[in-house]
Amino acid sequence: MAKTYLFDFDGTLVDSMPTYGKMILKIVNEYGVDYPEDIIKITTPLGFLGTARYYIGLGISETEEFLVQKMKNMLVKEYENNIPAKSNVIEVLKQLKARGDSLNVLTASPHESLDPCLKRLGIYDLFDNVWSCDDFNTTKADPEIYKMASKRIGVDVQDVIFLDDNLNADKTAKTAGMIVYGVYDPSSKDFVDEMKAITDKYIYDFKELL
């Protein structure tokens, strides 16, 4: 029976978390505000707008629009030119597609970085849907986004397999009723045990999906 997958992008499909994390830290350090040690875990599911609001909450005196554009300016060229796919991702996605599975993307990253990266890697057309949180006007910290995505795909939420390397996103997707697979990424290595405890499966390599 064909399966329906909903993939995160950063840290799940592509090896972007080192670049993304440096951007997050560079901005808070530039403004000299205090921030928690797990700021990357906190902000990764929020998208650029949610992260901008988080920054402002830390005490950065800029507008949301300014901070969103600042983040885009820092990252888009990296996604367009340099960010690689993670190990075995391209090969496995092609095999899943060939056997009739539905492949979809839901990410906090904006289309300005998401779409060019997937196209450069040659996998954009493998997906039935490529969504940024911006398409739903909410974040991956909101259980409703997973229900809305399922509805747009045309399947029940409990029939969707969601894959993410972020503990908070996995928790929220599970709350929404999805089947959840945790994905290993070095950026979240400190949370592996917690992710294993709350997910239906935990994978270290995409080959484990075959």
Side-chain angles (χ1 to χ4, degrees), residues 7-79:
F7 297 99
D8 168 53
F9 175 59
D10 294 289
T12 298
L13 295 178
V14 297
D15 188 16
S16 57
M17 288 310 297
T19 303
Y20 191 90
K22 285 177 186 176
M23 179 273 291
I24 295 292
L25 296 176
K26 184 174 182 179
I27 291 176
V28 286
N29 288 325
E30 178 182 330
Y31 286 92
V33 296
D34 293 329
Y35 56 90
E37 287 185 9
D38 60 347
I39 186 172
I40 295 172
K41 182 187 80 167
I42 292 169
T43 55
T44 298
L46 299 182
F48 283 15
L49 180 57
T51 300
R53 290 171 178 164
Y54 184 81
Y55 281 150
I56 291 168
L58 292 177
I60 294 178
S61 299
E62 301 284 4
T63 65
E64 293 175 0
E65 292 77 12
F66 177 87
L67 290 169
V68 167
Q69 193 58 51
K70 186 179 182 71
M71 287 184 275
K72 287 181 179 179
N73 290 344
M74 292 171 71
L75 284 183
V76 167
K77 285 187 178 179
E78 287 297 315
Y79 283 92

Side-chain angles (χ1 to χ4, degrees), residues 163-174:
L163 295 93
D164 203 307
D165 64 298
N166 183 271
L167 174 63
N168 290 343
D170 285 337
K171 282 182 178 178
T172 310
K174 194 65 184 167

Side-chain angles (χ1 to χ4, degrees), residues 143 146-147 157 168-178 180 198:
Y146 304 95
K147 298 175 185 177
V157 67
N168 290 343
D170 285 337
K171 282 182 178 178
T172 310
K174 194 65 184 167
T175 299
M178 285 188 169
V180 178
I198 60 99

Side-chain angles (χ1 to χ4, degrees), residues 4 9 30 35 40 63 65 78 91 97 99-100 105 114 116 129 138 145 149 172 191 198 201:
T4 301
F9 175 59
E30 178 182 330
Y35 56 90
I40 295 172
T63 65
E65 292 77 12
E78 287 297 315
E91 298 84 351
K97 184 71 173 180
R99 73 184 191 188
V105 174
L114 168 66
N129 299 282
T138 188
I145 197 170
T172 310
F191 307 103
I198 60 99
K201 184 174 182 175

